[in-house]
Amino acid sequence: EACRTPRLGGHVNACDDCGRTRISYNSCRNRHCPKCQGAARKEWVDARVADLLPVPYFHVVFTLPPGIAEIAFHNKAVVYALLMRIAAQTLQAVAAVPGGGLSPGRSRWVACRPGFFLPLRVLSRLFRRLFLTALADVFAHGELRFSNELSHLNDDEAFTRHLARARRVEWVVYSKPPFGGPDQVLAYLGRYTHRVAIANSRIVEVDDGHVAFRWKDYRGNGRDREKIMRLDPREFIRCFLLHVLPAGFHPMRHFGFLANSHRRDRIGLCRQLLDQPSPAGGQPQAGKSQHRQSYECPDCRRPMHRTGITVAPVSPPRPSSFWCDTS
């Protein structure tokens, strides 16, 4: 609630044309804050769009069955990291993402078949085998913890039987070319990776007894889709915290030629092999700087720029110690 309020301080923006000034209060920069992730999302999407190559792309989604998802709920940091690592290993074992990749000697680009990425059943079963093997390994090293209704999984034999049941279930893997191109998928991902469970604009009413918020029922049509749900405040907070990631967890990771350690060099090589000219240097950074420092003046609609004047944080008022006895 302190985000973009006097409690965090701020800075002064001024219009060079009409002289209008305004105070912009600082953001909390918490990644779960619904107010201050818009700029970060735009910068991330712009940077990823700048890395796109002139090749087909595929939207691939790996899911976990319910029996494994409940293990993830009790061990978020371990299982989420495992999910990302095994998904990357699965793809690297059978192909590269996007629809093609560098040859082993990095001397040519190897493209996939037009309109086809991988057989989903092969992808699903390889992912299942690799994930369950890795999950058994982290359990053997004592990295998993269980409590309450899953406390029985602390026993070796019970955990082995649980994995055996998951091995008999078909794991769902989705892979299709994006209808609107890779730019649309990146914009879609940005809305999920840079926002929390619910925006402030969806909250209709809050009091001591309930929290009311808007939600969409996709089984309905038109205006019937939007409905109001009321929850007890404790239940609302519980549901909200389900979407909060473990401290220090990185929800976006890059593998293969997009790995951060060599991304610039490998993307440059891919563009060279694909005869694609490299974009002018500094464009993403220029967009980042302009997005952060330029605002529109409400009077003359000209750009406002940040000045060197800062506003000190204001501490919240302390509760009054005055008590009036009306008896």
Side-chain angles (χ1 to χ4, degrees), residues 134-153:
L135 192 62
D137 186 59
V138 296
F139 177 80
H141 286 81
E143 298 179 37
L144 299 181
R145 297 289 184 272
F146 302 103
S147 59
N148 298 330
E149 67 274 9
L150 291 186
S151 58
H152 65 283
L153 293 182

Side-chain angles (χ1 to χ4, degrees), residues 151-162:
S151 58
H152 65 283
L153 293 182
N154 288 306
D155 179 71
D156 291 359
E157 293 185 1
F159 186 80
T160 301
R161 289 194 299 270
H162 192 82

Side-chain angles (χ1 to χ4, degrees), residues 96-240:
V97 176
L102 293 169
S103 64
R106 296 197 289 274
S107 59
R108 62 190 180 91
W109 177 267
V110 180
C112 67
R113 288 165 48 187
F116 178 79
F117 181 46
L118 291 168
L120 290 183
R121 177 162 293 186
V122 173
L123 204 62
S124 171
R125 294 186 175 180
L126 177 60
F127 173 65
R128 180 181 62 187
R129 177 173 63 82
L130 293 176
F131 190 92
L132 291 178
T133 300
L135 192 62
D137 186 59
V138 296
F139 177 80
H141 286 81
E143 298 179 37
L144 299 181
R145 297 289 184 272
F146 302 103
S147 59
N148 298 330
E149 67 274 9
L150 291 186
S151 58
H152 65 283
L153 293 182
N154 288 306
D155 179 71
D156 291 359
E157 293 185 1
F159 186 80
T160 301
R161 289 194 299 270
H162 192 82
L163 294 193
R165 287 192 293 269
R167 192 171 285 108
R168 294 191 292 268
V169 176
E170 289 292 337
W171 291 30
V172 178
V173 176
Y174 168 96
S175 174
K176 284 187 178 180
F179 294 108
D183 305 54
Q184 184 189 57
V185 173
L186 288 173
Y188 164 81
L189 291 177
R191 291 194 294 271
Y192 280 88
T193 57
H194 288 82
R195 77 174 184 186
V196 76
I198 187 170
N200 288 350
S201 58
R202 289 176 54 198
I203 299 178
V204 177
E205 184 181 6
V206 179
D207 58 33
D208 292 339
H210 72 278
V211 178
F213 58 93
R214 287 190 294 269
W215 69 287
K216 284 186 178 179
D217 183 358
Y218 288 97
R219 294 171 296 181
N221 295 316
R223 294 183 179 179
D224 293 336
R225 280 189 171 185
E226 190 168 284
K227 299 180 180 179
I228 302 295
M229 181 178 292
R230 288 176 170 80
L231 293 177
D232 177 84
R234 289 180 290 271
E235 176 63 13
F236 178 84
I237 294 173
R238 187 193 70 82
C239 293
F240 182 91

Side-chain angles (χ1 to χ4, degrees), residues 50-51 264 271 277-288:
D51 289 340
R264 294 270 71 84
R271 288 196 171 110
S278 298
Q283 282 185 349
Q285 293 297 325
K288 177 178 179 179

Side-chain angles (χ1 to χ4, degrees), residues 33-46:
C33 175
K35 292 183 180 179
C36 57
Q37 290 300 304
R41 180 182 69 245
K42 184 180 186 304
E43 291 165 9
W44 182 83
V45 172
D46 289 346

Side-chain angles (χ1 to χ4, degrees), residues 269-327:
L269 176 60
C270 291
R271 288 196 171 110
Q272 179 182 349
L273 296 174
L274 292 166
D275 294 325
Q276 181 197 32
S278 298
Q283 282 185 349
Q285 293 297 325
K288 177 178 179 179
S289 175
Q290 182 180 9
H291 182 77
R292 282 190 172 178
Q293 298 182 6
S294 180
Y295 303 89
E296 188 179 78
C297 175
D299 292 340
C300 65
R301 304 300 179 187
R302 301 290 293 174
M304 300 184 75
H305 299 284
R306 181 170 179 169
T307 68
I309 303 174
T310 59
V311 179
V314 177
S315 300
R318 292 183 178 180
S320 174
S321 57
F322 175 76
W323 176 67
C324 180
D325 186 359
T326 60
S327 59

